[in-house]
Amino acid sequence: MKKKMLKVLLVIGLVGAVAANGVVYAIEDITSECGIVMEQITGRVLFEKCADEEMYVASITKILTAIIAIENAELDDWVDIASEDVHQVGSSLYLVDGDRMLLEDLLYGLMLRSGNDAAWAIARYVGGGDVAVFVALMNEKAAEIGMTNSLFQNPSGLDETTYNLSTARDMALLQRYAMNNPIFREITYESLYETTSEQGKRFVWKNKHRLLNGRYEHAISGKTGYTEQAKRTLVTSANNGEIELVAVTIKGGNDWNDHTRMFEYGFKNFELRQVLEIGELQMLEDDLLELAGFDRLFVREERSVFVRPGEYVRKHLVMENLDNEEAVGVLEILIDDEVVDQIDVYAFFDAPTNSWWGRIVDWIVGS
């Protein structure tokens, strides 16, 4: 491995725009005690208020319960309803001991009506009969996602005997992760769902999340929560056709309005802009590549950034020459001198373009 390091700084221009009517929208505070709004693709935080304070989170816990079930079981699995399920306190689907429900139906009841009985039945089933096994999966998944300030002790969000702690930032990371799953998206988008148990009991569930019931046209997913200790908690995803955002509030005041205001702030002040395409890097100074020891460099992924007026986006190439076909460095993407993303950079190793290897590489990068 050669130790020569080369840094290249490329300014690609000023980006961002004001709203169509020329007004720059702002948000200084929200009524909820804590909150955050995050962009779905890049994870950029647009607004935050005590976003890292650990708090009881109530039933927005069920986002984690749902995604673990979706990833670890089949939707058409039959779940036996047990006595311990139907005796869960608080919000309930009124499941019947000894009946059976499809896992998919339980997930709709979990997310639309916040059924604690459904949460327990799902956790018991996916945990192989042991809810504690499922709770361990919850904490493992939280760590995998990067939820560094979270602790889960049950699948429902109840906090009378056990409790779940998290933060606005961690819950936004969770919702962002879950929204990458099309099944989760479909379930949490529904405003009304009807089904029947194996024994013939009919259920009709209307989504408790008001923004998903016509109150906000851009809302596409979310979960409500409430306990006496947690107070109101709320998670929402919204998409205006160009941008997708995640909002979280904990100990809510006028949380419906808080979420709408945060979304409108994001939609009217930011834009998603692609700054990197798959393929060969087009450098401004070709001699810099020669100094690095390569004629051509390429990336295998595309990248976009979420920007607002007055912000500069730059690409910072940090190269370490390697005598192999692995990554030879990273391309950092910066907004106002803060690194917001980075991507591996690869090199052509002087393969003739008419050779079989050269043709393969050219096909990979689309040159």
Side-chain angles (χ1 to χ4, degrees):
M1 178 184 297
K2 300 179 182 178
K3 297 299 183 181
K4 180 176 64 175
M5 299 293 292
L6 176 65
K7 293 188 177 182
V8 184
L9 188 63
L10 302 174
V11 178
I12 64 171
L14 179 66
V15 294
V18 297
N21 59 6
V23 177
V24 177
Y25 289 79
I27 179 170
E28 297 180 356
D29 200 4
I30 54 176
T31 64
S32 300
E33 187 167 318
C34 295
I36 194 169
V37 60
M38 181 181 292
E39 198 273 323
Q40 172 68 27
I41 296 176
T42 66
R44 184 178 185 185
V45 174
L46 313 185
F47 169 84
E48 62 181 279
K49 177 183 178 183
C50 69
D52 296 309
E53 184 174 339
E54 289 187 358
M55 307 179 79
Y56 294 105
V57 291
S59 284
I60 57 176
T61 293
K62 295 182 173 86
I63 297 170
L64 184 54
T65 301
I67 196 63
I68 290 176
I70 291 168
E71 291 181 347
N72 290 278
E74 299 297 326
L75 295 182
D76 57 359
D77 287 352
W78 283 101
V79 178
D80 295 323
I81 307 303
S83 176
E84 61 182 299
D85 308 329
V86 302
H87 285 97
Q88 294 300 305
V89 300
S91 180
S92 179
L93 303 181
Y94 303 103
L95 302 175
V96 177
D97 185 8
D99 203 351
R100 294 208 305 170
M101 297 284 292
L102 289 173
L103 178 61
E104 180 179 21
D105 294 338
L106 288 175
L107 286 169
Y108 274 98
L110 177 80
M111 298 306 292
L112 273 62
R113 294 306 298 173
S114 200
N116 293 328
D117 48 358
W120 210 260
I122 290 169
R124 186 175 45 76
Y125 176 75
V126 178
D130 190 345
V131 173
V133 171
F134 186 88
V135 171
L137 291 175
M138 294 174 70
N139 287 291
E140 289 173 10
K141 178 60 68 174
E144 175 190 324
I145 294 170
M147 301 171 67
T148 56
N149 294 300
S150 298
L151 173 65
F152 297 93
Q153 296 184 347
N154 66 66
S156 63
L158 292 172
D159 47 33
E160 284 85 354
T161 57
T162 57
Y163 57 86
N164 299 331
L165 295 176
S166 191
T167 68
R169 189 185 313 279
D170 278 5
M171 294 306 299
L173 291 174
L174 172 60
Q175 176 71 0
R176 183 181 170 221
Y177 173 85
M179 288 296 283
N180 288 322
N181 187 292
I183 296 172
F184 180 89
R185 277 182 172 265
E186 181 178 351
I187 290 173
T188 56
Y189 177 75
E190 288 297 326
S191 58
L192 186 69
Y193 187 78
E194 299 183 27
T195 191
T196 304
S197 72
E198 186 183 51
Q199 293 183 1
K201 182 174 180 179
R202 182 170 177 264
F203 297 91
V204 180
W205 298 316
K206 183 178 180 181
N207 202 322
K208 288 185 174 182
H209 199 304
R210 294 182 186 177
L211 298 185
L212 288 161
N213 281 314
R215 185 163 174 172
Y216 185 59
E217 62 179 333
H218 300 310
I220 59 171
S221 174
K223 184 70 190 73
T224 61
Y226 177 83
T227 67
E228 187 63 31
Q229 291 195 86
K231 305 306 179 185
R232 292 176 60 86
T233 61
L234 188 66
V235 175
T236 314
S237 289
N239 189 313
N240 71 348
E242 297 179 356
I243 299 167
E244 186 163 316
L245 304 175
V246 175
V248 179
T249 49
I250 300 177
K251 283 195 174 179
N254 186 356
D255 48 8
W256 307 116
N257 187 56
D258 284 344
H259 282 227
T260 301
R261 289 177 59 228
M262 286 192 290
F263 287 138
E264 289 302 304
Y265 166 70
F267 290 149
K268 292 183 170 64
N269 284 282
F270 293 79
E271 66 176 0
L272 191 64
R273 176 167 297 188
Q274 186 178 48
V275 296
L276 197 62
E277 296 182 351
I278 296 172
E280 184 176 353
L281 289 176
Q282 302 298 321
M283 310 301 292
L284 295 181
E285 299 94 353
D286 290 339
D287 59 327
L288 292 176
L289 293 183
E290 295 175 5
L291 289 174
F294 305 109
D295 293 325
R296 298 161 69 192
L297 298 174
F298 68 94
V299 293
R300 296 172 176 168
E301 303 173 67
E302 63 181 26
R303 282 294 189 272
S304 297
V305 293
F306 204 52
V307 293
R308 61 186 173 191
E311 291 183 320
Y312 283 93
V313 178
R314 296 181 290 174
K315 297 176 186 176
H316 193 180
L317 181 61
V318 181
M319 295 193 62
E320 184 170 8
N321 296 351
L322 304 175
D323 294 326
N324 56 49
E325 296 170 7
E326 298 302 317
V328 297
V330 295
L331 188 67
E332 297 176 338
I333 299 174
L334 303 91
I335 299 178
D336 285 350
D337 295 325
E338 179 183 356
V339 177
V340 297
D341 203 353
Q342 61 182 22
I343 183 172
D344 288 339
V345 176
Y346 302 86
F348 295 95
F349 286 87
D350 300 323
T353 57
N354 61 351
S355 70
W356 68 270
W357 171 245
R359 289 195 296 270
I360 290 174
V361 172
D362 279 347
W363 176 77
I364 291 173
V365 302
S367 60

